[in-house]
Amino acid sequence: MLNKNVFLEKYFLMTRSEENYLKTIFHLGGGDSKSITTNAIAEQMETKPSSVTDMAKKLSEKGLVDYVRYQGISLTDAGVKTALSIIRKHRLWEVFLVEKLDFTWDEVHEVAEQLEHIKSEKLIDKIDELLDFPKYDPHGDPIPTKDGKFQERDEKLLSEMPINSKGICVGVKDSSVPFLKFLDKNKIALGNTITIMDKEDFDHSLRIRMEGKEMRISHQIASNLYVKKND
Amino acid sequence: MLNKNVFLEKYFLMTRSEENYLKTIFHLGGGDSKSITTNAIAEQMETKPSSVTDMAKKLSEKGLVDYVRYQGISLTDAGVKTALSIIRKHRLWEVFLVEKLDFTWDEVHEVAEQLEHIKSEKLIDKIDELLDFPKYDPHGDPIPTKDGKFQERDEKLLSEMPINSKGICVGVKDSSVPFLKFLDKNKIALGNTITIMDKEDFDHSLRIRMEGKEMRISHQIASNLYVKKND
DNA sequence: ATCTATTTTTAGTTTTGTCTAAATTTAATT
DNA sequence: AATTAAATTTAGACAAAACTAAAAATAGAT
Ligand SMILES: [Mn+2]
Ligand SMILES: [Mn+2]
Ligand SMILES: [Mn+2]
Ligand SMILES: [Mn+2]
C-alpha cells in the first residue's frame, strides 16, 4: 500500500503545470529527441525563461525530460508517453464538445485545455467509446491511440498543391479563433473538395473551385489549410 | 476591458481550493446563515483548523463568507450562489457519467470532484440539456437549477417510517463506496418500493418487503436510506 | 583569439495553500 | 471569580509555480 503510493506519486501524479510543459515541448518537436530551447518554450507558454529552467529541472528529476544546462530540453520515452496521453485527452474532449454538445470548432480549445487535465483513465476511454473511436479532432489533428500511436495522414498544405489538382480539406494548421471564424464565414469546411484552378504569381493567391463555387483565397489562407490528395 | 477584468477577477475567478471550502461550508449547513465552526470544516476537509482560518479570511475578503474571529463562518448570499453552482456541476456530471458513460454510482463521485471545477457556463448548460434537465443525481440528491433553486422532496429516512407503511427508495444519506456496493450486492436500488413489515425493538433492525422478496436490514442501513412516502 | 550580443541560469521574492507550534480566546467547571 | 480544557488564531515555515534582476555561458562576428 505504501509502496503503491510511492509508485503512483512518482510516475502518475503530474501537476497541471507539468502536464502543460510536456505538451508544449512535444508540440515544439521535442518528442523526436530534438533539443528544444528554453526561450522557445517560454515564448510558446507565455512565461519567462527562468520559469522554464526551474521546470526543466523538476521534469528531469522525474525522468520525463532530458535536460543538460544550456543545451536545451527533449522528452524521454516516458515524457513522450505522458505528453501523448494529454494530447489524446485534449482532442477527444474537443470531438465530444462538437459532436455531443454542439460546440463550434472555434469554441472547443479553451474548454479542452481544462478538461485534458482530468485524471481518470476510465473516463477518457468511455468518452472515446461514446464517440466511436474518432481518428481526428475537429481541426483535423490526429488523435493518438490509447497506447500512444499516432496515425499520420498523407496531407499537404493547399498552398503547395499544383494547378489543376484536387484535394479534400482535412485540417487547419492555424487553429486560432479568428482563422476558424473566417473559414466558417466563407463556407470553407473540413471534408470539402477543392480544385486548384489557378495561382497568381504576384501575391501567390489561389483561384479555387469548392462545392460548385469559384473563389479567390490569399496565400496566407492557403498555407494554413491541409488537404488530402484525391486524384 | 480593464474594468471587465477587475469584475471577473473579483467575482468569478475562484481557485479550486476556495470552491471546495464554499461547498463544504454549504454542506455543513452554513447556507442558512448558521455559523459553522473552524474545527467542523477542518475535520470535513481533512485539513488543519489553522488552514481553515486562513481561508476564512480570504473568502471574507472576497465577500463570500461572513467571518468574525472565534465566532465561526457562514456563507453570504454570494457565497451560497457560488456553492450551489459548484454543487450543480458536481451532480450534473455524476448523472452524465452514469447515464452516458455507464459508470456505477459508486464510481462517479471521485471524478465529479474534478469535473465540478471546470470553468465554462456553456459546457454545464449543454450537459444539462443533453441529460434532459435531470432533477436528481445518481444518489438521489437534488440538482440545483441554473438560478440556484433547490427542489426539495418530501422524503424520510427508512428507519423513521412506521410499520406497514410503504415508500419508494429515492436516495442515500451515506454515499460512501462501501455502502453503495453493499446496496448493489443486496439489490437495493433507487426506485424500488419498500414495505416495512416489522421492526425489532432489540437492535432496531427492520423486516422489509422489496420487489417481491422479504429481507432483514440493520438500523444502520435503514437510517441511511431516504424514501418518499407513498401511503 | 577576443569581444559582444544573446541565451540561459542563478539568486532572491511573491502568492497560494498548506503545515506545526505557540499564544490567545472562549466555554465549562469548580 | 478563578481555573482549566477546548477551540481558535497567530506566527513562522515550507513547497509549488511564477516573477525580476544579476550573473554566467554560449555563439557570432570581427
Ligand atoms: Mn485544441
Ligand atoms: Mn484541436
Ligand atoms: Mn458526489
Ligand atoms: Mn451525488
Side-chain angles (χ1 to χ4, degrees), chain B residues 51 148 178 190 225-226:
Chain B
S51 306
L190 302 197
L225 281 174
Y226 287 116

Side-chain angles (χ1 to χ4, degrees), chain B residues 109-127:
Chain B
H109 179 77
E110 189 193 329
V111 185
E113 283 291 307
Q114 299 180 61
L115 287 163
E116 70 188 6
H117 301 292
I118 301 289
K119 268 110 188 141
S120 167
E121 206 181 322
K122 175 162 186 171
L123 174 60
I124 202 61
D125 288 346
K126 285 288 190 175
I127 289 283

